[in-house]
Amino acid sequence: MPRPDRMKLGTFVYTYGFHPASWMHPGSDVGAANSFAHMLNVARLSEAAKFDFMFMADSPAAAVGDPEALARQPNKMNRFEPLTLISALAVATERLGLVATASTSYYEPYNLARIFASIDHLSGGRACWNVVTSDHDETGYNFNRRGLDPHAVRYARAREFVDVCFGLWDSFDDDALLLDRERGIYHDPRKLRALDHVGEHFQVRGPLNIASTPQGRPVIAQAGGSEAGIALAAETAEIVFGLASDIGRSRVFYATLKARMAAFGRDPDGLKVMPGVVVNVGRTRAEARAKVDFMLERLHPDVGRLMLSEFLEADLRGVPLDAPLPEDRLPAAPKGSRALFEELTAFVRSGRTVGELIRLYAEKHTGNGITGTAADVADVMEEWFETRAADGFILMLPTLPASLQDFTELVVPELRRRGLFRDEYEGMTLRENLGVPRPRGRAG
Amino acid sequence: MPRPDRMKLGTFVYTYGFHPASWMHPGSDVGAANSFAHMLNVARLSEAAKFDFMFMADSPAAAVGDPEALARQPNKMNRFEPLTLISALAVATERLGLVATASTSYYEPYNLARIFASIDHLSGGRACWNVVTSDHDETGYNFNRRGLDPHAVRYARAREFVDVCFGLWDSFDDDALLLDRERGIYHDPRKLRALDHVGEHFQVRGPLNIASTPQGRPVIAQAGGSEAGIALAAETAEIVFGLASDIGRSRVFYATLKARMAAFGRDPDGLKVMPGVVVNVGRTRAEARAKVDFMLERLHPDVGRLMLSEFLEADLRGVPLDAPLPEDRLPAAPKGSRALFEELTAFVRSGRTVGELIRLYAEKHTGNGITGTAADVADVMEEWFETRAADGFILMLPTLPASLQDFTELVVPELRRRGLFRDEYEGMTLRENLGVPRPRGRAG
């Protein structure tokens, strides 16, 4: 049975692209990390292609590790702060959804609720908050802590944080503003209320000092694949993001997550499962493959070693490239993708060198996903979409703007020919375009 | 001896204007509180007149009090969040400085330092942070506290907070970015450093994950008139803002503050004393007076009573308008202006009614300052400027955009005729226009 709607698409943004050597691609401004013009270009390309949104990844810390390797990988060292960036993009774009990542571990709900409400007004209803709890130790060191709080504490705080924000966004009823100059009454005081929240992590009185926004509440995105993450998403999220590896597992994840929504009285269509996918597309398969190789050649071994260190949570500095990795450097369990972890483990046990392992990891991490012609890419996306492994995709484009231009020029027309992607925006707000309901402001 | 430079001017922004009935003025969009077009109009009027900056007042709480009265006074109930607003204005203006208020009591320094660094990049060097500690109980209730921390604690935290931000803004040296694609080296790792701050209120490792900004650090504004506030300003501020009441006291304040800077090795010209001043200007004195009366007529007695309650820190609900205020409702000491407090106290003791008292307070608070022709206004401003009571002014315009249009059309040309105000911006950044030095990034 064909899907009733079309797929949703978003552009995932690290400044220069998802590939760790992306800043070296000749097609971008080398100073893009501090250039609004670069970000606006990415936004306008996404908007011209009628994408649902642009998604700003974030971490409130510079990456940690070998300083020489970090000096070769700017995406995590020098970046715009995402809330300010999407505020600026809000008034320079018209239809594109604007997603910013912000951590429930290091913000206060009153400040963040105000910020997103303000962006929703600035953008005419295109704000989306990617809720994260932050999962890197280095972030804690910037916020008065010796490291991360335990996973369960972070998720309990996140759940309460989101709840407080929901309450604050509902401070003003949708029809609270009377704007009656004749009688001198601006708002109906019966349609504005305090929150008086008293919980384990937060005490917040409210009300929020900004009126109800075009979307009622910003769209909520989340990425969690843990049990706590799935629970939070089933209850509160409208976009769920994850790294796609295996279509079978993704179908199970999709079905599980949508089933869990019923317990919260939610329609499964109110949440869009959008795996991240790395796309390298060319006019021919050889051209696509050449693009992958072009970027792999630019990846310095120190950067590859640093990336692998992060994935394995092991310090690999000084480990020789031309010898196998001692097996005791492998962790017992993966932090990220289990499938990738198992593949790397088998590779190590087969006696390959660290240099080969880095190349495998870098390719899996940055060059895998889908590589081929527009038809190849569309085939995979169509299969995932039609078999309910995904409602759409967050595109992890290796380089920006080059890979985004490739995608919009080659793949988008192919998706349209197949009836899989929109020709024009359906609505004015991100909720309207995603097809997720707007929360109704309370009656007075 | 004439002053060597020109005066500095900034527009103080509550949405609809400084007057509590400003939203009822027919010259503005009644929906301005959630309208970027309104804010952009205020910014563009200020920029066309070559003002130094636009100053966003703020409090992270809705006002508290009689709900019926608050429903008649939207400025403190429904407003843009200022950091997001100036981010949007940054890309829609070219030369105007953009000042946002943010509280050291309720933010984390790592987040706020990132936000202002990002805005400084977005704006090409026009960001300014108005540092406040927040002095209303209602803010504390939104941030896990039963009320405010004590004054001394708030100022100690503020001092440390600013210091952490300075350290974070200096994470990257100005010449740290190499952007060398040939060698694959983005930045010089010797020119990026952690902060490793461990203090009484904060532990922040750093470095900041954004490169050195056009201004090195955003401009710092402050308003404190307390001893702790003066100490903080003398050491760290570049703009000092306050409500002007008396030229004699202001000269003393000016001289005291500038003298205190020497202890920190600072040039007195590196800080601009800019009192707030309420201006009602007309083509004739009668026209100016009529503008004051027009707004006073629109002030509902409940709003007047609420304002007076805040000033006196007394609950005046239910106190009859046609009888004198019982003297036991007067506090022992003023929270705000001592001169105004003494005037009100004498008025109460002379047996006037609460209604008369409200009108007096409303006029002093909103209609005093300078009322008259362009020459009258320029005379006062010139005297303050030439006798070193002020380096410039923050204009508390009763209505926006109407009073701002009046000022730019009538007063600005008069100030220019007298050689007191610029014809064109001197530089591209706010620091260049203010004439305050740019901190030098450390050498490697």
Side-chain angles (χ1 to χ4, degrees):
Chain A
M1 193 181 72
R3 299 284 305 264
D5 54 356
R6 314 282 183 92
M7 66 174 61
K8 310 302 173 190
L9 293 176
T11 306
F12 181 92
V13 180
Y14 280 148
T15 304
Y16 295 92
F18 189 65
H19 195 284
S22 54
W23 75 275
M24 293 171 70
H25 191 276
S28 72
D29 173 8
V30 74
N34 307 122
S35 161
F36 181 66
H38 169 77
M39 291 299 183
L40 184 58
N41 185 29
V42 170
R44 289 189 170 158
L45 285 167
S46 303
E47 190 168 69
K50 317 298 179 191
F51 282 15
D52 293 82
F53 56 80
M54 170 165 164
F55 184 108
M56 303 304 309
D58 192 53
S59 174
V64 167
D66 172 14
E68 303 286 333
L70 292 173
R72 298 177 181 279
Q73 196 186 4
N75 274 334
K76 295 181 177 178
M77 302 303 290
N78 177 23
R79 66 200 317 180
F80 278 111
E81 188 286 325
L83 300 165
T84 49
L85 178 62
I86 73 166
S87 299
L89 290 170
V91 300
T93 56
E94 294 182 353
R95 306 293 280 275
L96 187 68
L98 299 165
V99 188
T101 300
S103 174
T104 54
S105 298
Y106 308 125
Y107 259 96
E108 288 279 351
Y110 198 88
N111 286 337
L112 203 61
R114 282 186 83 194
I115 283 172
F116 274 105
S118 193
I119 297 171
D120 210 46
H121 279 295
L122 288 169
S123 63
R126 296 180 288 125
C128 174
W129 172 25
N130 178 37
V131 179
V132 300
T133 68
S134 301
D135 62 358
H136 285 89
D137 275 343
E138 59 260 32
T139 61
Y141 289 102
N142 290 333
F143 296 90
N144 293 350
R145 299 176 204 170
R146 297 219 192 99
L148 290 179
D149 289 331
H151 187 272
V153 172
R154 297 205 313 274
Y155 271 84
R157 181 178 156 112
R159 182 67 198 82
E160 189 179 332
F161 193 118
V162 171
D163 222 40
V164 171
C165 289
F166 283 175
L168 290 170
W169 288 321
D170 296 344
S171 294
F172 282 85
D173 287 348
D174 288 340
D175 59 353
L177 299 195
L178 303 175
L179 308 181
D180 185 342
R181 281 177 173 160
E182 293 292 312
R183 293 192 299 144
I185 301 177
Y186 186 83
H187 67 262
D188 182 342
R190 296 164 306 165
K191 295 185 174 179
L192 168 63
R193 62 187 65 73
L195 179 64
D196 293 321
H197 174 88
V198 178
E200 192 183 346
H201 295 86
F202 301 108
Q203 295 178 40
V204 180
R205 188 166 71 177
L208 202 63
N209 55 356
I210 184 166
S212 158
T213 75
Q215 294 191 109
R217 301 171 184 169
V219 172
I220 301 294
Q222 274 162 47
S226 68
E227 173 51 35
I230 290 171
L232 184 62
E235 186 170 0
T236 67
E238 283 130 349
I239 295 170
V240 166
F241 164 65
L243 270 178
S245 52
D246 177 280
I247 191 170
R249 290 182 208 221
S250 292
R251 282 187 204 124
V252 172
F253 175 76
Y254 183 102
T256 304
L257 183 55
K258 299 253 175 167
R260 291 282 290 276
M261 293 171 69
F264 302 104
R266 298 183 67 201
D267 181 333
D269 288 340
L271 183 158
K272 304 301 175 189
V273 177
M274 299 181 69
V277 59
V278 179
V279 175
N280 281 281
V281 63
R283 278 163 196 82
T284 62
R285 288 182 184 169
E287 189 184 290
R289 179 69 222 174
K291 288 179 184 178
V292 175
D293 291 337
F294 181 87
M295 291 313 298
L296 270 179
E297 280 159 24
R298 273 149 190 81
L299 184 68
H300 194 279
D302 288 350
V303 176
R305 191 151 31 191
L306 181 67
M307 291 170 61
L308 191 60
S309 300
E310 283 171 16
F311 184 75
L312 297 178
E313 297 190 297
D315 186 353
L316 301 184
R317 272 181 292 180
V319 171
L321 291 173
D322 55 359
L325 184 70
E327 219 179 290
D328 61 10
R329 297 289 182 113
L330 286 170
K335 189 174 177 186
S337 158
R338 173 171 295 277
L340 181 54
F341 177 75
E342 285 165 6
E343 187 172 350
L344 294 183
T345 303
F347 199 79
V348 167
R349 291 189 175 139
S350 74
R352 305 298 191 87
T353 68
V354 169
E356 289 170 310
L357 184 67
I358 286 172
R359 191 173 162 95
L360 175 72
Y361 176 71
E363 177 156 349
K364 289 293 174 185
H365 177 65
T366 65
N368 210 19
I370 321 177
T371 300
T373 63
D376 293 336
V377 175
D379 284 350
V380 176
M381 294 175 74
E382 182 169 5
E383 186 187 6
W384 282 62
F385 180 68
E386 294 293 349
T387 64
R388 298 178 195 268
D391 294 311
F393 300 91
I394 298 186
L395 302 166
M396 324 287 280
L397 300 156
T399 65
L400 290 172
S403 309
L404 176 59
Q405 278 170 320
D406 290 345
F407 189 93
T408 61
E409 285 169 19
L410 300 174
V411 182
V412 168
E414 178 63 24
L415 293 172
R416 288 202 175 115
R417 263 191 296 278
R418 300 181 187 199
L420 291 169
F421 189 61
R422 68 166 67 85
D423 297 306
E424 190 41 84
Y425 286 109
E426 294 84 9
M428 294 303 297
T429 71
L430 177 57
R431 285 185 181 279
E432 288 164 358
N433 288 319
L434 285 174
V436 300
R438 183 190 186 285
R440 265 186 57 201
R442 276 179 276 193
Chain B
M1 191 180 74
R3 301 283 303 265
D5 53 358
R6 314 282 183 93
M7 66 173 63
K8 309 302 174 190
L9 293 176
T11 306
F12 180 92
V13 180
Y14 280 148
T15 303
Y16 295 93
F18 189 65
H19 195 285
S22 54
W23 74 276
M24 293 171 70
H25 192 275
S28 72
D29 172 8
V30 74
N34 308 121
S35 162
F36 181 66
H38 169 78
M39 291 298 183
L40 184 58
N41 186 29
V42 171
R44 289 190 170 157
L45 285 167
S46 303
E47 191 169 69
K50 317 297 177 192
F51 282 13
D52 293 83
F53 56 79
M54 171 166 164
F55 184 110
M56 303 304 308
D58 192 54
S59 174
V64 168
D66 174 13
E68 303 286 336
L70 293 173
R72 298 176 181 279
Q73 197 188 2
N75 275 333
K76 295 180 176 177
M77 301 304 289
N78 178 22
R79 67 200 319 180
F80 278 111
E81 188 285 325
L83 300 166
T84 49
L85 178 63
I86 72 166
S87 299
L89 290 170
V91 299
T93 56
E94 293 181 355
R95 307 292 280 275
L96 187 69
L98 299 165
V99 187
T101 300
S103 173
T104 55
S105 297
Y106 309 124
Y107 259 97
E108 288 279 351
Y110 198 89
N111 286 337
L112 204 62
R114 282 186 82 194
I115 283 172
F116 274 105
S118 194
I119 298 171
D120 210 46
H121 280 295
L122 288 169
S123 62
R126 296 180 287 125
C128 174
W129 171 25
N130 179 37
V131 179
V132 300
T133 68
S134 301
D135 62 358
H136 285 89
D137 275 344
E138 59 260 31
T139 60
Y141 289 103
N142 290 333
F143 296 90
N144 294 349
R145 298 174 206 170
R146 298 221 192 98
L148 290 179
D149 289 332
H151 188 272
V153 172
R154 297 205 315 274
Y155 270 85
R157 180 178 156 111
R159 182 66 199 85
E160 188 179 334
F161 193 118
V162 171
D163 221 41
V164 172
C165 289
F166 283 174
L168 290 170
W169 288 321
D170 296 344
S171 293
F172 282 84
D173 287 348
D174 288 340
D175 59 352
L177 299 195
L178 304 175
L179 307 181
D180 185 343
R181 281 176 172 161
E182 293 291 313
R183 293 192 300 144
I185 301 178
Y186 186 83
H187 67 261
D188 182 342
R190 296 164 305 164
K191 295 184 175 181
L192 168 63
R193 62 187 65 74
L195 179 63
D196 292 321
H197 174 87
V198 179
E200 192 184 345
H201 295 85
F202 302 107
Q203 294 179 41
V204 180
R205 188 165 71 177
L208 202 63
N209 55 355
I210 184 166
S212 159
T213 76
Q215 294 191 108
R217 300 172 185 168
V219 173
I220 301 293
Q222 274 161 46
S226 68
E227 174 51 35
I230 291 172
L232 184 63
E235 186 169 1
T236 67
E238 282 130 349
I239 296 171
V240 167
F241 165 64
L243 270 177
S245 52
D246 177 281
I247 191 169
R249 289 180 208 224
S250 293
R251 282 186 204 126
V252 172
F253 175 76
Y254 183 104
T256 304
L257 183 54
K258 299 252 174 167
R260 292 283 289 275
M261 293 171 69
F264 302 105
R266 297 184 67 201
D267 181 332
D269 288 340
L271 183 158
K272 305 301 174 189
V273 176
M274 299 181 69
V277 59
V278 178
V279 176
N280 281 282
V281 63
R283 277 163 198 80
T284 63
R285 287 182 185 169
E287 189 184 291
R289 181 67 224 175
K291 289 178 183 178
V292 175
D293 291 336
F294 181 88
M295 291 313 298
L296 269 178
E297 280 159 23
R298 274 151 189 79
L299 184 69
H300 194 279
D302 288 350
V303 176
R305 190 149 33 189
L306 182 67
M307 292 169 62
L308 191 59
S309 300
E310 283 170 17
F311 184 76
L312 296 178
E313 297 189 297
D315 186 353
L316 301 184
R317 274 182 291 181
V319 171
L321 292 173
D322 56 359
L325 183 70
E327 218 179 292
D328 61 10
R329 298 290 183 113
L330 287 170
K335 189 175 178 185
S337 157
R338 173 171 295 277
L340 181 53
F341 177 74
E342 286 165 5
E343 188 171 351
L344 294 183
T345 302
F347 199 78
V348 167
R349 291 190 176 138
S350 74
R352 305 299 190 88
T353 68
V354 170
E356 290 171 309
L357 184 67
I358 285 172
R359 191 174 162 95
L360 176 72
Y361 176 70
E363 177 155 350
K364 290 293 174 185
H365 177 64
T366 65
N368 210 19
I370 320 176
T371 301
T373 63
D376 294 334
V377 175
D379 284 349
V380 175
M381 293 174 75
E382 182 168 6
E383 186 187 6
W384 281 62
F385 180 68
E386 293 294 351
T387 63
R388 296 179 197 268
D391 294 311
F393 300 90
I394 297 185
L395 302 166
M396 323 287 280
L397 300 157
T399 65
L400 291 172
S403 309
L404 176 58
Q405 278 169 320
D406 290 346
F407 189 93
T408 60
E409 285 169 19
L410 300 174
V411 182
V412 168
E414 178 63 23
L415 293 173
R416 289 203 175 113
R417 264 192 294 277
R418 300 182 186 197
L420 291 169
F421 189 61
R422 67 166 68 85
D423 297 307
E424 191 42 83
Y425 286 110
E426 295 84 8
M428 294 304 296
T429 70
L430 177 57
R431 286 186 180 279
E432 288 164 359
N433 289 319
L434 285 175
V436 300
R438 183 189 186 288
R440 265 186 58 202
R442 276 180 274 194

Coordinates of all heavy atoms in Angstrom, one line a residue, chain A residues 15-16 20-23 33 69-79, chain B residues 186-187 209:
Chain A
T15 N 29.1 23.4 9.7 CA 29.4 24.5 8.8 C 29.8 24.1 7.4 O 29.2 24.5 6.4 CB 30.5 25.4 9.4 OG1 30.2 25.8 10.7 CG2 30.8 26.6 8.5
Y16 N 30.9 23.3 7.3 CA 31.5 23.1 6.0 C 30.9 21.8 5.4 O 31.3 21.5 4.2 CB 33.0 23.0 6.1 CG 33.7 24.2 6.6 CD1 33.9 24.5 7.9 CD2 34.1 25.2 5.6 CE1 34.5 25.7 8.3 CE2 34.7 26.3 6.0 CZ 35.0 26.6 7.4 OH 35.6 27.7 7.8
P20 N 34.7 15.2 7.8 CA 35.6 15.9 8.6 C 36.7 16.8 7.9 O 37.3 17.6 8.4 CB 36.3 14.8 9.4 CG 36.0 13.6 8.7 CD 34.7 13.8 8.0
A21 N 36.8 16.5 6.6 CA 37.8 17.3 5.8 C 37.0 18.3 4.9 O 37.6 18.9 4.0 CB 38.6 16.4 4.9
S22 N 35.7 18.5 5.2 CA 34.8 19.3 4.3 C 35.4 20.7 4.1 O 35.2 21.3 3.1 CB 33.4 19.3 4.8 OG 33.4 19.7 6.2
W23 N 36.0 21.2 5.1 CA 36.5 22.6 5.0 C 37.5 22.8 3.9 O 37.8 23.9 3.4 CB 37.0 23.1 6.4 CG 38.4 22.6 6.7 CD1 38.6 21.4 7.4 CD2 39.6 23.2 6.5 NE1 40.0 21.3 7.5 CE2 40.6 22.4 7.0 CE3 40.0 24.5 5.9 CZ2 42.0 22.7 7.0 CZ3 41.4 24.8 5.9 CH2 42.3 23.9 6.4
A33 N 32.9 29.4 8.5 CA 32.4 29.2 9.8 C 31.9 30.5 10.5 O 31.1 30.4 11.4 CB 33.6 28.6 10.7
A69 N 45.5 17.6 15.6 CA 44.4 17.0 14.8 C 43.2 17.9 14.8 O 42.5 18.1 13.8 CB 44.0 15.6 15.4
L70 N 42.9 18.5 16.0 CA 41.7 19.4 16.1 C 41.9 20.7 15.2 O 41.0 21.2 14.6 CB 41.5 19.9 17.5 CG 41.0 18.8 18.4 CD1 41.0 19.3 19.9 CD2 39.6 18.2 18.0
A71 N 43.2 21.0 15.0 CA 43.5 22.2 14.1 C 43.2 21.9 12.7 O 43.3 22.8 11.8 CB 44.9 22.6 14.3
R72 N 42.9 20.6 12.4 CA 42.6 20.2 11.0 C 41.1 19.9 10.8 O 40.7 19.4 9.8 CB 43.4 18.9 10.7 CG 44.9 19.1 10.7 CD 45.6 17.8 10.4 NE 47.1 17.9 10.4 CZ 47.8 18.4 9.4 NH1 47.3 18.8 8.3 NH2 49.1 18.5 9.6
Q73 N 40.3 20.2 11.9 CA 38.9 19.8 11.8 C 38.0 20.9 12.5 O 37.6 20.8 13.6 CB 38.8 18.5 12.6 CG 37.4 17.8 12.3 CD 37.3 16.5 13.2 OE1 38.1 16.2 14.1 NE2 36.2 15.8 13.0
P74 N 37.8 21.9 11.7 CA 37.1 23.1 12.4 C 35.7 23.0 12.7 O 35.2 23.8 13.5 CB 37.3 24.2 11.3 CG 37.4 23.5 10.0 CD 38.1 22.2 10.3
N75 N 35.0 22.0 12.2 CA 33.5 22.0 12.4 C 33.1 22.1 13.8 O 32.1 22.6 14.2 CB 32.9 20.7 11.8 CG 32.5 20.9 10.3 OD1 32.3 22.0 9.8 ND2 32.5 19.8 9.5
K76 N 33.9 21.4 14.7 CA 33.6 21.4 16.1 C 34.4 22.4 16.9 O 34.4 22.3 18.2 CB 33.8 19.9 16.6 CG 32.8 19.0 16.0 CD 32.9 17.6 16.5 CE 31.9 16.7 15.9 NZ 32.0 15.3 16.4
M77 N 35.2 23.2 16.3 CA 36.0 24.1 17.0 C 35.6 25.6 16.8 O 35.8 26.4 17.7 CB 37.5 24.0 16.5 CG 38.0 22.6 16.6 SD 38.0 22.0 18.3 CE 39.3 23.1 19.1
N78 N 35.0 25.9 15.7 CA 34.6 27.3 15.3 C 33.3 27.3 14.6 O 33.2 26.8 13.5 CB 35.7 27.9 14.5 CG 35.4 29.3 14.0 OD1 34.7 30.0 14.6 ND2 36.1 29.7 12.9
R79 N 32.3 27.7 15.3 CA 30.9 27.6 14.7 C 30.0 28.7 15.2 O 30.2 29.2 16.3 CB 30.3 26.2 15.0 CG 30.0 26.0 16.5 CD 29.9 24.6 17.0 NE 29.2 23.7 16.1 CZ 29.0 22.4 16.4 NH1 29.4 21.9 17.5 NH2 28.3 21.7 15.6
Chain B
Y186 N 43.7 24.4 9.7 CA 42.7 25.5 9.8 C 43.1 26.5 10.8 O 43.0 27.7 10.5 CB 41.4 24.8 10.3 CG 40.2 25.7 10.3 CD1 39.5 26.0 9.1 CD2 39.8 26.4 11.5 CE1 38.4 26.9 9.1 CE2 38.7 27.2 11.5 CZ 38.0 27.5 10.3 OH 37.0 28.3 10.3
H187 N 43.5 26.1 12.0 CA 44.0 27.2 12.9 C 45.3 26.7 13.5 O 45.7 25.6 13.5 CB 42.9 27.4 14.0 CG 42.7 26.3 14.9 ND1 41.6 25.4 14.8 CD2 43.4 25.9 16.0 CE1 41.6 24.5 15.8 NE2 42.7 24.8 16.5
N209 N 34.0 27.8 21.5 CA 34.0 27.2 20.2 C 33.6 28.1 19.1 O 32.9 27.7 18.2 CB 33.2 25.9 20.3 CG 31.7 26.2 20.7 OD1 31.4 27.3 21.1 ND2 30.9 25.2 20.7

